[in-house]
Amino acid sequence: MRVFIRNQPVLFVLDLPKRPTQSTDWSGWSEPMAYQEDPLPEDARQGLSLRYRFRLIAHGVQ
């Protein structure tokens, strides 16, 4: 996942299954990685982290 901090990309690698069969709990906290050749912005080096989860919902159900 690419997140932008003051127009600078920061990359987070998400450990998602290719074919999920159920919703997931919250992930652990992920630290950002350098995006391609760009160094991490100073803001990202000072404690920026991300966690995520996903919910599977049947098509047409809201």
Side-chain angles (χ1 to χ4, degrees), residues 55-62:
R55 237 176 53 175
L56 292 179
I57 301 173
H59 181 69
V61 176
Q62 297 205 14

Side-chain angles (χ1 to χ4, degrees), residues 1-2 7-8 10-12 15 20 22 24 27 31 34 37 43 45-47 49 51-52 55-56 58:
M1 173 178 285
R2 215 176 322 165
N7 295 322
Q8 294 181 326
V10 177
L11 180 67
F12 288 88
D15 184 23
Q22 62 188 17
T24 66
S27 70
E31 301 294 322
E37 303 296 319
D43 295 347
R45 282 184 254 151
Q46 295 184 4
S49 56
R51 63 190 292 213
Y52 57 89
R55 237 176 53 175
L56 292 179

Side-chain angles (χ1 to χ4, degrees), residues 16-57:
L16 296 174
K18 289 187 183 219
R19 295 186 185 267
T21 57
Q22 62 188 17
S23 299
T24 66
D25 291 329
W26 284 99
S27 70
W29 290 98
S30 299
E31 301 294 322
M33 299 179 58
Y35 179 70
Q36 293 178 358
E37 303 296 319
D38 297 329
L40 286 173
E42 185 63 32
D43 295 347
R45 282 184 254 151
Q46 295 184 4
L48 178 67
S49 56
L50 176 119
R51 63 190 292 213
Y52 57 89
R53 69 177 179 171
F54 67 94
R55 237 176 53 175
L56 292 179
I57 301 173

